[in-house]
Amino acid sequence: MPVRMTLPPTLAARIAASDRPQFGMWVCSANAVNAEIAAGSGLDVVLIDAEHSPNGLESILAQLHAVAAYPVSALVRPPFGDAVVIKQYLDLGVQNLLIPMVDSAAHAEEMVRAVRYPPHGIRGVGSALARASRWNRVEGYLTDAASSVSLFVQIESAAALDHVEEIAAVEGVDGILIGPADLAASMGFLGQQEHPEVVAGVLRSIAAAIAVGKPAGVNAFAPTAADRYVEAGASLVLVGADVALLARASEALADRFIGAPSA
């Protein structure tokens, strides 16, 4: 007799059920041990990145396995919003997707179709072969698959900012996440995430999501920026990354025990 499985709640459902913002960190090392360490940290979300990290399907799967035992949401970002890539991620068992560089409502609608089975979308049907349904051990998976997936899209460009209200309102988009670094670059302020126009764009995006009853997330490694966006109503704040923590902590060790190199 097979074990009948129940999938964990999505990130969108956890945000809706929580009385506080969710806080998370990136795992960019493509390493399952690091993902497991992050998952046991007490943070709410582990974001496994494949856009700016050396992650393939096998390493993502290993990280999903590593974090599955912990009470966190695994949010996974593919390198780009492609229906074939999304199908593979969903079949791996990714329940929470973050699509980078979504610049229009039409693009967001394409992403919604990519995560849904026909007749509401174009997701290929392979549930019997896939971890998504635990190889058909999740009862009614095909019928209820849409409720087991949450879709977040990123606002990362001046074009997206121009259309953020329409993007946030797309039916099937569960939330947005603002990327201030790319947004700053697109607005002509490369490396200036704290430029007043960039901050105003982030605040506008948060307000746009709140206006349609959806969560807004933001990348904010600086605590003062994180506090600002929480105060503005952000429901998800990403406050660090495994590789950045290792880089800064190892540099601090070198500074403490070796000091600055002599001239």
Side-chain angles (χ1 to χ4, degrees):
M1 204 53 193
V3 175
R4 293 300 174 189
M5 306 293 293
T6 300
L7 296 175
T10 65
L11 174 56
R14 289 183 176 184
I15 290 173
S18 180
D19 59 0
R20 62 166 178 80
Q22 303 289 283
F23 294 92
M25 65 175 285
W26 299 77
V27 173
C28 301
S29 58
N31 185 283
V33 173
N34 288 354
E36 185 170 3
I37 291 169
S41 66
L43 291 168
D44 304 298
V45 178
V46 172
L47 202 166
I48 301 166
D49 182 41
E51 185 188 12
H52 294 296
S53 305
N55 265 313
L57 295 176
E58 291 83 0
S59 61
I60 291 170
L61 178 59
Q63 289 168 86
L64 292 175
H65 287 158
V67 306
Y70 296 85
V72 297
S73 293
L75 179 61
V76 184
R77 181 169 72 173
F80 61 107
D82 176 80
V84 174
V85 173
I86 288 171
K87 172 178 63 178
Q88 291 180 300
Y89 278 38
L90 293 177
D91 283 352
L92 284 182
V94 172
Q95 289 185 256
N96 308 294
L97 276 168
L98 175 64
I99 307 300
M101 296 292 181
V102 174
D103 290 340
S104 68
H107 188 184
E109 289 166 356
E110 289 177 16
M111 297 301 93
V112 172
R113 288 192 292 273
V115 303
R116 293 186 174 182
Y117 288 126
H120 306 294
I122 60 170
R123 179 183 174 187
V125 181
S127 58
L129 311 175
R131 181 175 179 267
S133 69
R134 302 306 188 264
W135 303 277
N136 277 349
R137 290 171 181 160
V138 175
E139 194 154 354
Y141 178 81
L142 284 176
T143 303
D144 300 329
S147 67
S148 72
V149 175
S150 65
L151 175 67
F152 288 76
V153 300
Q154 282 199 265
I155 305 300
E156 301 186 271
S157 69
L161 185 58
D162 286 343
H163 300 287
V164 65
E165 289 80 10
E166 294 91 349
I167 294 170
V170 168
E171 191 276 327
V173 168
D174 293 293
I176 64 171
L177 191 140
I178 306 106
D182 277 305
L183 182 60
S186 178
M187 295 173 71
F189 305 114
L190 180 64
Q192 301 179 60
Q193 297 185 42
E194 288 295 296
H195 189 283
E197 291 186 36
V198 178
V199 171
V202 175
L203 295 174
R204 171 183 169 182
S205 299
I206 293 171
I210 292 171
V212 293
K214 295 182 181 180
V218 63
N219 210 41
F221 288 11
T224 54
D227 291 341
R228 177 201 303 129
Y229 296 134
V230 166
E231 181 68 24
S235 300
L236 168 63
V237 185
L238 300 168
V239 293
D242 61 340
V243 291
L245 292 169
L246 178 59
R248 300 295 84 76
S250 59
E251 290 161 6
L253 287 174
D255 287 345
R256 168 62 178 81
F257 292 103
I258 300 173
S262 57

